[in-house]
Amino acid sequence: MSSTTQISSSNHRLILDTLDDYARQTGIDLTKNPFTYQFQNCVSPRAILDLLEERAMAFKEYREGNRNLIRWLNPIVQALLGFVGVFGPPASLVPSPHAKPARAILCGVEVLLVTAVEVGASYDLLVDLFECVGNFLQRLRIYTRVPFNSAMTDIIVKILVEVLSVLALATKQIKQGRLKKFAKKLLGERDIEAVLRRMDRLTLDETRMTVAQTFELVHGLVNNMKVVVDDSNASTSHMQQALVTAQETTIEMNKMKRDQLQKDIRMWLSPPDPSTNHNIARTAHHNGTAAWFIQSETFHKWKSSGALLCIHGIPGSGKSVLCSSIIQDAKVNFDSGSALLGYFYFDFGDIAKQDVRGLLTSLLVQLSAKSDPCNNTLSQLYSQHNPGSHPPDDQALTACLKQMLKLPGLPDIYIIVDGLDECPNTSGFPTARERVLDLVDELVHLDLPNLRICVTSRPDADILTALRPLTSLRVSLHDEKGQGEDILDYISAVVHSDRTMREWSAEDKQHVINVLSARAGGTFRWSSRGNSAYSG
C-alpha cells in the first residue's frame, strides 16, 4: 500500500500493553532484542528467512533434511513484512514504544527459535506451532494489498496481538519445560487454547467485515474514477488499470472468503468421501463396459425426462462399475458447467457410508462446491447453528437439500447413488435403509424437471417395493443382452491377456471363454474367479 493506515489510540495502547506482557512472561524486551538490529536492514523476505534459517540449523532434524520449519516460517514472514509496510514505514523495523505488532511478531519468532534450541525442545512442536500461526496470517495477507477501514484495522491489530500472545506463552512454557507436545490445533495448553479461541472469534469478525468492506471498496473506486475523469492529465489506460486492479482485488477477496467458508463447512459436516469407491470402480472398469447402457433409449430418456432410474442386479453383476460409468457421463456436463453432480456409494465396509446422514452431508457439500446459490443455502444452515458450533440433525440436512434443489435457475442436477442394499435394514425404527428410501421418495415427489436421480441395488424385496411406484424406468442387469455381452468381452480380454495362457492354442482359449461365459450366471465376479482357476 502507498499510504499508512492509522492506528487508534486504543489499539496503540493495546500493542504497548501486549509488549509489556510479553516481557513479563518471557523476561525479554523485544525493543532491545539483538535480532531486531540484524534484520533492520533486510530488504527482502528471503534475507530475513536466511537469518531465521541460521537458527533452524541448530536442530538436528533440520540439518538432516526436514525443512518443514522454514516451509511454515515462509508464509509468516511474507505476511508480516506486508503488514510492516502497511502499519508503518518499512525503512525502520525496530520495535520501539510505538512498535507495531507485525514487527514484534518477527522478533518473537526468532526468540522462540533460540529458546527452543537452548532447552532442547521438540522440533515437531515448533513446526506445529508455526503451521497454526501461518494459517492465521495467510488469511490476512490479502489486506496488505488493499486499503481497509478503521473497523477492519481494529480487527487485524487484535489478531496480530493475539499471535504475539501465543508466542509469549509458548516461549514461557518452553522455558519452564511445560510445553511437551502440540496437536495440530494446539489445544494441549489451556492458556494457549484460550488465545487461539479468541483468534477464531476475531477471524469470524474479519470475515463478516469483509463483506461490507467489498461494497465500500467499489464505492471508493467510483469516487476515485470521478476524480480521474475530472483530471485533465489523466489517461484512459490509468482509468482502466484502476478498474482492473479493484475488480481483481474484489474477486480475490470474495474467493478467499468463499473457499475458507467451504472448508469450515466441510469440517463441520465431515462428510464421507465417495470418490474412494468411485476410483475403485473405475479401476475395475473394462474398456467398452456399459457402453450399451449409456447409448440405450432408457438412459437417454432418463437424462431428458428427469425421472427416477432404478438399476437392479445380483451380487457381482457389475452394478458399481455401471454406476461409475453413469457418473462419468454426468461429469462431462458437470465439468462444462451445464450440470450439477452429487454421487454416493453405500459401502458394507465403511460405517460412515451406511446411513442417510452420510448421504446427505456428502450431497450437500458436493452440490455447493460448484454453485454459488447452493453454497449460500448451505452457508445459511451453517450460520443457523451458531455458526457450525452445533451439528445439524438429519431433518435439518434434508430440509437444506430440498431447499437447495428447488433453487430457481439451476442447471440439470444429477444425484447418483450406488449400492442402496449396502445400507443396513436390521435394526432401528425406521431402519437406516428405510430412512434412505424415505429420502428418495421425498426427492422424487419434489417433481423437479431438472432433477435426475439414479439408484442401484440388489433386487431386495423391500427396495423393489419402495421404488417400484416411483418410476417406470427400471433396469434388471441380469435380463439385459448388453450386460451379457460385456461379461463375454471381459472374459475374452482377460483370457487373451493372461500370461499363463499366452502359449495356449486359439482353440483352448476359446474353449475357456465359452465355458466361463456359460457359467458366469450374469456376474463379472464369477468370471474373474473362474479365470483364476483355469490360469492357476
Side-chain angles (χ1 to χ4, degrees):
M1 285 182 60
S2 58
S3 61
T4 301
T5 301
Q6 297 298 317
I7 298 179
S8 66
S9 58
S10 60
N11 276 332
H12 175 65
R13 184 70 259 167
L14 176 63
I15 294 169
L16 295 181
D17 289 343
T18 304
L19 286 170
D20 290 342
D21 184 68
Y22 182 97
R24 180 180 59 79
Q25 295 207 59
T26 65
I28 297 172
D29 184 351
L30 289 180
T31 65
K32 300 177 181 178
N33 179 29
F35 181 71
T36 299
Y37 302 97
Q38 286 184 266
F39 77 72
Q40 180 177 358
N41 296 319
C42 291
V43 294
S44 69
R46 182 66 257 175
I48 292 180
L49 283 170
D50 288 342
L51 291 176
L52 294 176
E53 192 166 14
E54 292 179 13
R55 277 62 174 175
M57 288 297 293
F59 289 96
K60 178 174 177 290
E61 293 89 342
Y62 192 84
R63 295 194 302 272
E64 293 178 349
N66 185 337
R67 301 302 166 117
N68 286 336
L69 192 61
I70 286 296
R71 173 171 166 260
W72 283 109
L73 283 175
N74 181 45
I76 292 175
V77 171
Q78 296 280 356
L80 291 174
L81 283 189
F83 279 111
V84 166
V86 170
F87 287 117
S92 175
L93 299 178
V94 182
S96 66
H98 302 284
K100 305 303 183 282
R103 307 175 192 175
I105 292 171
L106 283 170
C107 294
V109 166
E110 190 271 346
V111 168
L112 182 58
L113 283 173
V114 172
T115 303
V117 171
E118 289 176 349
V119 302
S122 165
Y123 180 81
D124 290 336
L125 178 153
L126 289 180
V127 171
D128 284 348
L129 173 60
F130 290 132
E131 178 181 354
C132 177
V133 173
N135 284 332
F136 273 109
L137 294 181
Q138 279 181 315
R139 285 178 54 84
L140 304 182
R141 193 175 175 189
I142 181 65
Y143 301 113
T144 65
R145 298 168 49 190
V146 298
F148 46 87
N149 57 30
S150 59
M152 184 67 80
T153 301
D154 289 345
I155 293 171
I156 293 174
V157 168
K158 289 174 183 176
I159 290 176
L160 294 178
V161 162
E162 296 290 7
V163 171
L164 187 58
S165 297
V166 168
L167 295 179
L169 288 166
T171 302
K172 171 187 173 183
Q173 293 176 5
I174 284 177
K175 282 186 173 184
Q176 297 174 347
R178 290 170 49 202
L179 199 58
K180 300 299 182 183
K181 183 179 180 180
F182 274 91
K184 283 293 181 183
K185 291 187 179 179
L186 300 177
L187 298 181
E189 296 293 331
R190 186 168 299 175
D191 292 340
I192 293 180
E193 178 182 1
V195 174
L196 290 171
R197 289 191 184 280
R198 290 200 298 271
M199 290 170 69
D200 276 328
R201 288 195 295 271
L202 287 168
T203 306
L204 291 174
D205 290 340
E206 171 248 336
T207 300
R208 288 191 290 267
M209 183 62 66
T210 300
V211 177
Q213 180 87 29
T214 302
F215 289 107
E216 185 175 335
L217 181 64
V218 174
H219 178 72
L221 170 65
V222 173
N223 290 335
N224 290 336
M225 291 294 288
K226 183 178 184 300
V227 174
V228 173
V229 171
D230 292 342
D231 186 349
S232 58
N233 296 322
S235 67
T236 302
S237 62
H238 289 159
M239 294 167 58
Q240 291 175 337
Q241 184 58 46
L243 181 61
V244 169
T245 300
Q247 185 179 32
E248 289 177 348
T249 300
T250 303
I251 292 173
E252 185 174 356
M253 290 172 66
N254 289 337
K255 182 180 183 300
M256 181 180 69
K257 298 306 169 189
R258 185 179 186 274
D259 290 347
Q260 182 60 43
L261 182 58
Q262 285 187 339
K263 180 180 177 182
D264 293 342
I265 291 174
R266 179 178 288 273
M267 291 180 62
W268 175 54
L269 294 179
S270 299
D273 181 11
S275 67
T276 54
N277 303 79
H278 183 69
N279 292 337
I280 292 172
R282 295 312 294 168
T283 301
H285 178 270
H286 176 65
N287 186 33
T289 298
W292 65 270
F293 181 75
I294 299 300
Q295 297 166 7
S296 70
E297 181 181 348
T298 298
F299 185 69
H300 286 284
K301 183 177 180 180
W302 172 67
K303 290 183 67 176
S304 61
S305 69
L308 169 67
L309 172 62
C310 298
I311 301 173
H312 304 297
I314 60 178
S317 60
K319 297 184 296 297
S320 294
V321 174
L322 177 61
C323 185
S324 74
S325 296
I326 297 172
I327 293 170
Q328 290 300 112
D329 184 85
K331 274 180 175 284
V332 174
N333 293 333
F334 173 75
D335 292 340
S336 69
S338 60
L340 295 178
L341 170 63
Y343 66 89
F344 194 76
Y345 289 76
F346 285 102
D347 188 346
F348 283 133
D350 188 342
I351 193 170
K353 298 175 182 176
Q354 296 178 9
D355 58 25
V356 73
R357 187 175 189 84
L359 172 63
L360 285 167
T361 54
S362 182
L363 292 179
L364 287 170
V365 169
Q366 290 180 68
L367 294 174
S368 64
K370 294 294 185 180
S371 167
D372 286 339
C374 291
N375 184 62
N376 292 338
T377 300
L378 186 54
S379 299
Q380 290 173 7
L381 179 69
Y382 179 73
S383 299
Q384 290 165 4
H385 288 75
N386 191 27
S389 298
H390 309 296
D393 58 28
D394 293 350
Q395 185 177 359
L397 292 172
T398 301
C400 183
L401 177 60
K402 292 164 70 173
Q403 180 183 354
M404 192 179 287
L405 297 176
K406 291 189 289 186
L407 289 170
L410 293 183
D412 290 344
I413 305 171
Y414 291 90
I415 294 180
I416 304 168
V417 180
D418 177 64
L420 199 154
D421 56 281
E422 299 195 33
C423 186
N425 194 36
T426 55
S427 62
F429 182 77
T431 66
R433 184 185 297 182
E434 288 171 339
R435 292 171 60 121
V436 173
L437 289 169
D438 287 344
L439 175 64
V440 173
D441 184 275
E442 289 184 51
L443 297 184
V444 170
H445 280 98
L446 291 177
D447 198 24
L448 298 173
N450 63 330
L451 179 60
R452 287 101 176 88
I453 304 173
C454 174
V455 176
T456 75
S457 74
R458 296 179 182 181
D460 292 358
D462 62 308
I463 296 176
L464 295 178
T465 300
L467 298 183
R468 186 177 292 113
L470 301 180
T471 182
S472 60
L473 292 180
R474 293 185 292 272
V475 176
S476 176
L477 293 182
H478 187 77
D479 299 329
E480 293 292 334
K481 178 182 177 182
Q483 187 73 350
E485 292 175 348
D486 276 355
I487 293 174
L488 179 60
D489 289 343
Y490 171 74
I491 293 172
S492 179
V494 171
V495 168
H496 285 98
S497 63
D498 191 290
R499 293 186 179 183
T500 62
M501 298 185 187
R502 188 171 296 170
E503 302 302 323
W504 291 20
S505 67
E507 290 79 9
D508 288 341
K509 290 180 181 177
Q510 188 59 48
H511 174 70
V512 172
I513 293 172
N514 292 339
V515 171
L516 291 178
S517 298
R519 297 180 179 178
T523 68
F524 287 88
R525 188 177 301 168
W526 194 96
S527 304
S528 176
R529 291 173 179 171
N531 175 68
S532 298
Y534 272 98
S535 62

